Amino acid sequence: DMVDINKGQNEQLFAVKREKGDNIVLAVLNLSNADQQLKMTHDRLAGSYTDIFTNEQYFPSVGFIFDLKPWEYLVLANKK
């Protein structure tokens, strides 16, 4: 199942988590022509993630802010 991680913070963002077995995928998409931010509000997603396209590392925790440029998207994967 996909879980909305945006929780109505920002209507210009589509942000979901999908968990299956030991794998977690976070997808954050900016659906606008302006810079947008998504702030992590809980620690259930804390951990080490890798952008599946660039191999850049992310370490989100409570208070972490994803900054996305217009039309930018992130797809991050984490193995537990």
Side-chain angles (χ1 to χ4, degrees):
D1 294 335
M2 286 194 304
V3 176
D4 179 7
I5 60 173
N6 187 12
K7 305 282 188 192
Q9 281 187 60
N10 185 330
E11 293 180 6
Q12 302 301 317
L13 294 175
F14 177 75
V16 294
K17 172 191 85 154
R18 169 96 162 118
E19 190 168 350
K20 186 170 184 178
D22 290 339
N23 299 305
I24 298 174
V25 174
L26 302 178
V28 184
L29 294 79
N30 180 355
L31 303 176
S32 77
N33 62 357
D35 291 348
Q36 300 293 329
Q37 292 186 329
L38 176 67
K39 184 176 183 178
M40 300 301 296
T41 58
H42 50 79
D43 63 359
R44 289 180 22 216
L45 300 176
S48 173
Y49 293 84
T50 303
D51 184 310
I52 66 168
F53 301 111
T54 67
N55 286 329
E56 185 175 347
Q57 295 291 305
Y58 289 83
F59 303 94
S61 60
V62 173
F64 182 87
I65 296 175
F66 288 102
D67 289 306
L68 286 96
K69 296 188 182 323
W71 310 113
E72 184 179 16
Y73 57 88
L74 296 171
V75 180
L76 309 176
N78 173 7
K79 281 200 94 138
K80 287 185 176 177

